[in-house]
Amino acid sequence: MDIINLLLICLVVFSIYRLFYLRKKHGSLAEAQRVANQKIAESQIILQESKDALQAQKEALTLNTEKREAMHRIYENRKNGIACCPKCGSTSLSANKKGFGVGKGIIGASIAGPIGLVAGNIGSQNVLITCLYCGHRFKPGKK
């Protein structure tokens, strides 16, 4: 924030200097003040845009840092043989079987009758792991 304060001070000093210059050039103090106020307003807009750009850069750097930390956490967990989420590196995981698929059972029953209900069991033994931190779902053994 020191750079921004320095820019503001420079802006004020420049505005005062510009006011005296414009007064000398235009002859009237009112006209000089009007032009100076217009220049100050333009400078404030530019300063605000610069602040916004700096804030956006700061947020981007923060995201990059968080991503690097997550990648390092994943690397360390895998190196130590600890199960973790491949997206965020969290070790808070929950494993569940899929169970009977109602949609598959209905489609199977409509196509093949009562025997088609068995289609609801297709894939029911598959295990899905859910990260309790970010909600990412993945199959065990996938990297």
Side-chain angles (χ1 to χ4, degrees):
M1 297 307 277
D2 294 330
I3 294 172
I4 293 173
N5 290 337
L6 181 63
L7 286 173
L8 285 172
I9 291 169
C10 290
L11 180 68
V12 169
V13 170
F14 176 74
S15 298
I16 293 170
Y17 168 77
R18 186 83 175 150
L19 180 65
F20 286 116
Y21 171 77
L22 291 172
R23 181 177 178 198
K24 188 175 183 182
K25 181 179 178 185
H26 294 285
S28 145
L29 181 61
E31 179 64 21
Q33 283 180 332
R34 185 190 66 75
V35 172
N37 287 338
Q38 181 181 4
K39 296 291 183 186
I40 289 173
E42 291 171 1
S43 299
Q44 287 174 341
I45 290 170
I46 292 170
L47 182 63
Q48 185 60 42
E49 289 172 353
S50 299
K51 283 181 180 179
D52 293 343
L54 285 172
Q55 183 64 27
Q57 287 178 350
K58 183 178 178 182
E59 290 172 3
L61 288 174
T62 301
L63 287 176
N64 288 340
T65 303
E66 290 172 0
K67 195 171 188 176
R68 263 188 264 122
E69 288 173 358
M71 289 174 65
H72 180 70
R73 197 168 42 245
I74 292 167
Y75 171 76
E76 288 295 322
N77 286 338
R78 286 190 179 154
K79 185 172 117 180
N80 295 328
I82 300 171
C84 67
C85 174
K87 186 175 179 185
C88 69
S90 172
T91 56
S92 299
L93 304 173
S94 172
N96 299 310
K97 285 187 177 182
K98 279 187 170 181
F100 182 81
V102 177
K104 290 179 192 175
I106 292 172
I107 291 172
S110 65
I111 292 173
I115 297 173
L117 287 173
V118 177
N121 283 326
I122 296 174
S124 65
Q125 299 303 315
N126 291 350
V127 175
L128 279 180
I129 299 175
T130 305
C131 176
L132 300 177
Y133 183 74
C134 70
H136 180 67
R137 299 179 83 188
F138 57 98
K139 292 181 181 178
K142 292 271 183 163
K143 292 195 177 203

